[in-house]
């Protein structure tokens, strides 16, 4: 799914990456990508005429969580056949060409905790986009993608960076702290990141240069806005 930006300087699209992992550990409980963490940033970028494309770890149709159709933004996209078709036919992340994208965005959902950190494609594509001067963004559990990304000099991408992500407190509140493979905020800190938290379930977005991260579902729109603003500023300078 791509938005058109007619009359504006050509801009590469943003790549949205979705988890393909559909079960919370050995609990048998379903999970996947969190719908609102895709639709809310997407709505911001669509309104700005910024093109978006999708990929997932395994390709095909990834599992969805948070299917709240009382949320009007969710309902708008879930009932849009173009969006649904794009989600049904995602390419494997390992098959995409990183040079095609201005930015990469990792949506959350608990599934991300299992397949984002261990994916060689996540590490390679993120590094390539970032080192080519592109933007990296993630929200909620999406920053799980960043815990093992290293740059060409061997340092972790998040080392020394200000970030936000789903907090240990929020993980305990949903009673999954003993089920997830690691606690996200603590692990980012262990990688050298400076983690910033707002009170549980309130919005928190942190921008550090070309890295944009948000704490929870409440932060999804703000991450989209920050990404939009960074991309728009680049276009205006072009």
């Amino acid at each position: 799914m791509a938005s058109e930006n007619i009359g504006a300087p050509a801009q590469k699209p943003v790549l949205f990456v979705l988890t393909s992992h559909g079960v919370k550990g050995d609990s048998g409980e379903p999970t996947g990508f969190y719908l609102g963490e895709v639709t809310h940033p997407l709505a911001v970028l669509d309104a700005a005429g910024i093109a978006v494309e999708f990929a997932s770890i395994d390709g095909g149709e990834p599992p969805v969580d948070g299917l709240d159709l009382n949320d009007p933004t969710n309902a708008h996209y879930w009932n849009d056949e173009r969006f649904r078709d794009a989600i049904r036919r995602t390419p494997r992340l390992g098959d995409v060409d990183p040079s095609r994208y201005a930015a990469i965005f990792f949506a959350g959902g608990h599934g991300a905790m299992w397949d984002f950190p261990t994916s060689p494609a996540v590490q390679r594509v993120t590094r390539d986009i970032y080192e080519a001067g592109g933007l990296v963004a993630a929200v909620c559990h999406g920053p799980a993608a960043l815990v093992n990304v290293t740059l060409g000099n061997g340092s972790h991408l998040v080392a020394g960076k200000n970030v936000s992500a789903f907090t240990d407190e929020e993980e305990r509140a949903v009673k999954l702290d003993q089920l997830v493979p690691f606690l996200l905020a603590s692990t980012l800190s262990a990688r050298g990141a400076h983690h910033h938290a707002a009170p549980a379930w309130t919005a928190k977005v942190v921008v550090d240069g070309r890295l944009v991260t948000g704490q929870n579902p409440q932060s999804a729109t703000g991450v989209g806005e920050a990404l939009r603003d960074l991309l728009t500023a680049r276009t205006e300078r072009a």
Side-chain angles (χ1 to χ4, degrees):
M1 182 177 180
S3 308
E4 293 184 357
N5 199 6
I6 298 172
Q11 179 171 266
K12 294 178 180 180
V14 177
L15 181 64
F16 274 39
V17 181
L18 313 179
T19 177
S20 295
H21 190 86
V23 181
K24 296 174 183 173
D26 58 5
S27 70
E29 295 179 12
T31 187
F33 74 88
Y34 201 79
L35 183 60
E37 293 170 20
V38 172
T39 62
H40 284 251
L42 178 60
V44 172
L45 298 181
D46 273 349
I50 296 170
V52 169
E53 296 177 3
F54 296 95
S56 63
I57 301 302
D58 293 339
E61 184 170 11
V64 63
D65 199 358
L67 188 60
D68 176 10
L69 298 185
N70 291 319
D71 176 324
T73 304
N74 282 349
H76 168 76
Y77 283 103
W78 198 249
N79 293 317
D80 182 336
E81 191 54 35
R82 294 171 303 165
F83 173 81
R84 294 290 295 279
D85 187 57
I87 294 298
R88 289 187 193 106
R89 299 187 299 145
T90 64
R92 288 176 61 250
L93 181 61
D95 293 336
V96 307
D97 176 2
S99 68
R100 294 190 57 249
Y101 299 100
I104 188 167
F105 166 74
F106 293 97
H110 270 93
M113 293 291 287
W114 278 270
D115 62 358
F116 279 6
T118 58
S119 166
V122 163
Q123 297 167 38
R124 175 181 59 81
V125 174
T126 304
R127 177 175 59 250
D128 287 356
I129 290 174
Y130 189 78
E131 291 193 329
L135 309 177
V136 173
V139 70
C140 197
H141 288 94
L146 307 180
V147 299
N148 291 323
V149 175
T150 55
L151 302 178
N153 63 7
S155 67
H156 283 96
L157 185 154
V158 298
K161 301 288 199 310
N162 295 295
V163 303
S164 191
F166 201 67
T167 65
D168 297 358
E169 176 191 0
E170 287 168 321
E171 204 68 85
R172 286 189 286 269
V174 296
K175 297 181 169 55
L176 292 173
D177 54 304
Q178 299 299 316
L179 187 61
V180 291
F182 58 92
L183 291 173
L184 180 53
S186 290
T187 302
L188 288 166
S189 296
R191 297 293 193 263
H194 305 299
H195 183 262
H196 299 267
W201 319 120
T202 61
K204 179 69 174 181
V205 177
V206 174
V207 179
D208 191 333
R210 292 182 288 112
L211 180 63
V212 180
T213 48
Q215 178 172 321
N216 46 29
Q218 291 79 8
S219 310
T221 294
V223 168
E225 290 169 344
L227 193 53
R228 174 201 63 198
D229 292 348
L230 289 169
L231 291 167
T232 301
R234 288 183 166 200
T235 302
E236 291 171 348
R237 290 196 301 268

